[in-house]
Amino acid sequence: MTDTETGLKDLMLRGLAGDATAHAQLLGALGGRLRAYFARRLGGAEAAAEDLVQETLLAIHLKRDSYDVRQPFTPWAYAIGRYKLLDHFRRQGVRRAVPLEDAGVLLAAETADEGVARRDLDALMADLAPRQRALIEDVKLTGYSIEEAARRHGFSPGAAKVALHRSLRRLASKARS
């Protein structure tokens, strides 16, 4: 599983367990990915893409109890988005195929610029210890609280704050050089 799948599935599971913050984080993370997904398929029709994002997020929210927690999350979310896209095409009188193989695109970067930024960030973080790198990704990229990230990676909250601060300072220094 990819880090994106793991992170999104974790947010989904926490949301299903009643964590409203995790559920909101999940919908926020999916929003950007869905926006890019629909924009690529609609050729820049921003209003239609945004409508589809909202429809899909609402459907994911309303149908979240139908998600089988034993299965990967992103294909389930993709299927809902794909059906919303096909419904949109039908309403427009357009016949298009949306291949099932496109499921991986929800794991792709939101934009080309984001992909470049992610590559640069990965290069900067390459020499950090795996736990430090995971801590930064959880807190700064995925949106976990320091306490949640500390628990996930075996830090005390105080040690996580110190490790995060030192790691970010190290990254900033490396980025300047």
Side-chain angles (χ1 to χ4, degrees), residues 107-134:
L107 300 177
E110 294 178 26
T111 65
D113 288 342
E114 183 183 293
V116 169
R118 181 62 195 206
R119 186 194 65 223
D120 292 345
L121 180 61
D122 287 345
L124 280 172
M125 292 184 17
D127 66 339
L128 292 176
R131 282 181 16 161
Q132 290 174 316
R133 186 171 44 247

Side-chain angles (χ1 to χ4, degrees), residues 66-130:
S66 72
Y67 170 63
D68 181 351
V69 299
R70 297 169 298 184
Q71 299 297 318
F73 172 73
T74 50
W76 179 83
Y78 164 77
I80 293 172
R82 180 177 177 269
Y83 288 123
K84 292 297 179 184
L85 181 60
L86 291 172
D87 287 345
H88 169 77
F89 288 149
R90 274 188 220 103
R91 286 191 302 268
Q92 302 299 313
V94 175
R95 292 191 52 87
R96 285 204 189 146
V98 180
L100 288 173
E101 300 82 47
D102 281 355
V105 297
L106 282 183
L107 300 177
E110 294 178 26
T111 65
D113 288 342
E114 183 183 293
V116 169
R118 181 62 195 206
R119 186 194 65 223
D120 292 345
L121 180 61
D122 287 345
L124 280 172
M125 292 184 17
D127 66 339
L128 292 176

Side-chain angles (χ1 to χ4, degrees), residues 31-43:
R33 294 182 183 289
L34 289 166
R35 199 165 284 107
Y37 171 77
F38 291 131
R40 284 190 297 269
R41 278 145 189 82
L42 296 174

